[in-house]
Amino acid sequence: MSIAEHVTEIFERIGAPVRFDAAGEIVCRTPIDGSELGRLAADTAASVGDKVGLAHAAFEQWRTVPAPARGAFVRELGELLREHKDDLGALVSIEAGKILSEGQGEVQEMIDICDLAVGLSRQLHGLTIASERPGHRMMEQWHPLGVVGVISAFNFPVAVWSWNAALAFVCGDSIVWKPSEKTVLTALACRALAEEAARRVGAPDGLLQVVVGAREVGEALVDDPRVPLVSATGSTRMGKQVAPRVAARLGRTLLELGGNNAAVIAPSADLDLAVRGIVFSAVGTAGQRCTSLRRVIVHESLKDELVQRLAAAYETLPIGSPLDAGTLVGPLIDESAAAGFAKAIDQARSDGGTLVAGGTTADGVEGGHYVHPAIVDMPAQTDIVKAETFAPVLYVLTYRDLDEAIALHNAVDQGLSSAIFTMDVREAELFVSATGSDCGIANVNIGTSGAEIGGAFGGEKDTGGGRESGSDAWRNYMRRATNTINYSTELPLAQGVDFG
Ligand code: NAD
């Protein structure tokens, strides 16, 4: 069976055949062999506007539904995702190129966030605050916000959408989702399941709209004043384009942008653990995760042994079709990613780096872009090390004392994920303290990637400052009202002001 036939079968099982349009501008491809799966017509500025209108109408109805009843919709969505986990996971692998286990992991992440959101639907509570005025009470309420625009990246085609959508739906919002133009099919599959969930529980039509297209379609969504929150995931370049446009109309953004994640390997590190953590974080999803490990900052006493062990592990990595059992490294998304990989390695070498593993193209599947993940031993943290190359290139830097390691660690523009491998409790605590890692995620004795949905996810500096998923991230999707209620017969003023 061809990959295109596989996709057709998946959509039949989901119960929503895709209507391809041979004249469409958006070419759906699989990075596995570069083949075309079909074409889709792109949205226009006018059709984006229409879809925002439909989502707004759905919002006006949805916000009147009690939050626990909204949770019933998300519970149903989670059940449908469970039912179709294998098919959706395969579709993620086909469109984004990640191995089957990671594709299914991504669907599991959607299921997990739905579970979390269902619980939250009974806990969207505000505070009661002591008033300084007699006979008065102050309280906070959290109200539904409106239409949330979600822009997502190719490398997490569904998980990131679900972090936003599951929370936004229980918060009483509707969604207009612009998936990456490289991964539209998974978005259409999710929309079909969300529509089915809505039908089953009687939620309003139109709660989830999908707009198809590239940057211009994203811009039409970003500029629409009926969208109070734009949650955008992708490169820092994209975030820097989106943020000022939304700010110009005083809208809110939630930005999840690029990372340049590092792990510090301290003298006391359990090296077995460190090697496993590093390899998973550096080569998982072929180095195409926002949380991929890109820099190892190792104590000089361990450097030779660590590099030798990593190079040995890299030699045995099974590279090939992500649909084959046993593959650990699938393809890069496209030709430009492969060119970026080669260019970064060339630059690192001309900066004095030594290639100690990989760095060449790999056989893989004809038509796809497969590479041997690279390790480059660097004499210094040069500009190429400070840039996010979205491919499996791991730079090794050395340090003498922990202050130097933390300074190197923080001396990049991005601030997403970080880790330290140490058995020394003082070093571990220092790394996660206010003067340690400056990232949104700081781990001890695990790698930089593979976050759980229970914590708030996101990063600082050029990573954009947004927080999604668990903890109190739900507050992004609501508006806060502070209410002061006077139950006395007097009208005392705050701050002791006397107004006659
Ligand atoms: P990208 O920036 O090329 O595209 C992301 C999305 O933004 C796409 O849907 C694209 O069409 C849209 N877009 C681009 N320019 C736009 C504009 N001016 N206005 C509106 N929309 C626009 O990113 P990508 O190549 O798909 O993904 C890889 C990047 O995403 C990496 O930098 C990675 O670190 C980052 N990423 C970050 C996170 C996170 O949570 N921090 C998660 C996944 C990916």
Side-chain angles (χ1 to χ4, degrees):
M1 186 180 12
S2 73
I3 299 178
E5 284 163 354
H6 191 171
V7 168
T8 306
E9 273 198 12
I10 288 172
F11 274 94
E12 275 167 8
R13 280 195 290 272
I14 286 172
V18 196
R19 278 185 220 94
F20 285 118
D21 171 354
E25 306 86 336
I26 300 297
V27 183
C28 304
R29 285 189 192 283
T30 172
I32 296 175
D33 61 4
S35 61
E36 187 176 315
L37 304 170
R39 286 173 185 248
L40 294 166
D43 272 279
T44 59
S47 68
V48 172
D50 291 346
K51 288 180 180 178
V52 172
L54 290 171
H56 193 262
F59 161 70
E60 290 195 320
Q61 232 184 306
W62 191 230
R63 67 178 167 179
T64 66
V65 174
R70 300 195 294 249
F73 163 57
V74 174
R75 187 173 57 232
E76 197 62 42
L77 175 60
E79 288 305 320
L80 285 163
L81 292 170
R82 275 188 178 87
E83 210 177 292
H84 294 283
K85 180 175 170 182
D86 287 351
D87 275 338
L88 280 174
L91 199 55
V92 169
S93 296
I94 288 170
E95 267 201 313
K98 53 180 77 177
I99 60 171
L100 276 181
S101 165
E102 289 180 309
Q104 286 181 2
E106 198 173 331
V107 181
Q108 186 60 45
E109 209 164 332
M110 290 202 279
I111 295 167
D112 293 344
I113 193 74
C114 285
D115 286 353
L116 183 128
V118 173
L120 263 180
S121 70
R122 292 179 184 271
Q123 300 177 70
L124 303 171
H125 43 62
L127 298 172
T128 301
I129 300 151
S131 169
E132 67 186 58
R133 287 168 281 182
H136 285 57
R137 186 169 69 80
M138 286 173 71
M139 66 175 185
E140 279 181 350
Q141 292 191 84
W142 291 89
H143 294 309
L145 184 65
V147 179
V148 177
V150 176
I151 295 174
S152 58
F154 82 84
N155 66 319
F156 274 100
V158 288
V160 169
W161 162 73
S162 71
W163 294 351
N164 287 281
L167 299 191
F169 287 145
V170 297
C171 289
D173 303 331
S174 58
I175 300 266
V176 180
W177 178 15
K178 195 207 89 60
S180 164
E181 55 277 34
K182 296 172 189 169
T183 52
V184 180
L185 295 176
T186 41
L188 297 182
C190 289
R191 182 183 64 185
L193 295 180
E195 284 174 353
E196 176 59 20
R199 257 191 302 276
R200 289 187 185 177
V201 301
D205 277 348
L207 274 180
L208 172 65
Q209 303 290 326
V210 172
V211 294
V212 174
R215 177 178 169 164
E216 318 72 60
V217 170
E219 285 172 349
L221 180 60
V222 160
D223 290 341
D224 197 310
R226 293 166 296 176
V227 180
L229 171 68
V230 175
S231 172
T233 300
S235 58
T236 297
R237 177 190 45 77
M238 177 277 288
K240 287 184 173 173
Q241 291 163 355
V242 166
R245 292 179 84 117
V246 180
R249 60 175 178 84
L250 303 182
R252 288 195 219 163
T253 45
L254 203 176
L255 300 174
E256 298 282 353
L257 310 175
N260 188 352
N261 317 294
V264 173
I265 315 298
S268 65
D270 174 337
L271 268 197
D272 290 341
L273 215 63
V275 168
R276 281 160 54 200
I278 292 169
V279 174
F280 171 69
S281 293
V283 310
T285 322
Q288 299 169 108
R289 288 191 185 203
C290 49
T291 50
S292 287
L293 182 65
R294 312 214 176 273
R295 298 177 293 142
V296 162
I297 302 170
V298 56
H299 191 265
E300 57 183 5
S301 63
L302 289 181
K303 193 251 188 115
D304 290 345
E305 186 184 353
L306 181 71
V307 167
Q308 203 181 14
R309 290 181 65 171
L310 288 175
Y314 269 48
E315 261 177 31
T316 64
L317 288 173
I319 300 168
S321 169
L323 300 180
D324 291 347
T327 298
L328 289 183
V329 183
L332 294 179
I333 189 71
D334 55 22
E335 194 175 350
S336 110
F341 172 79
K343 203 170 151 204
I345 293 167
D346 284 351
Q347 183 60 52
R349 293 174 94 171
S350 70
D351 289 353
T354 310
L355 188 63
V356 291
T360 52
T361 53
D363 288 344
V365 183
E366 182 74 33
H369 297 278
Y370 295 79
V371 297
H372 290 282
I375 301 176
V376 192
D377 183 2
M378 293 301 292
Q381 187 156 258
T382 58
D383 286 351
I384 191 64
V385 181
K386 291 182 175 178
E388 181 195 43
T389 297
F390 216 56
V393 183
L394 181 66
Y395 302 107
V396 179
L397 302 156
T398 45
Y399 78 92
R400 285 199 183 137
D401 63 57
L402 193 60
D403 285 350
E404 184 191 356
I406 290 174
L408 263 178
H409 177 277
N410 291 346
V412 295
D413 291 336
Q414 311 84 350
L416 181 53
S417 186
S418 60
I420 189 167
F421 284 84
T422 180
M423 299 309 287
D424 180 332
V425 70
R426 288 186 180 144
E427 288 187 334
E429 289 289 343
L430 184 71
F431 187 75
V432 301
S433 77
T435 54
S437 160
D438 63 1
C439 290
I441 297 168
N443 296 332
V444 176
N445 291 333
I446 62 167
T448 52
S449 62
E452 300 179 24
I453 53 95
F457 181 93
E460 300 301 327
K461 303 194 290 184
D462 272 5
T463 303
R467 292 296 185 279
E468 288 178 356
S469 193
S471 185
D472 62 354
W474 60 270
R475 294 179 181 199
N476 288 306
Y477 307 92
M478 303 201 87
R479 65 179 175 85
R480 185 197 321 236
T482 302
N483 312 122
T484 306
I485 294 149
N486 177 5
Y487 58 93
S488 74
T489 54
E490 304 297 322
L491 200 63
L493 300 177
Q495 294 91 40
V497 172
D498 182 358
F499 207 66

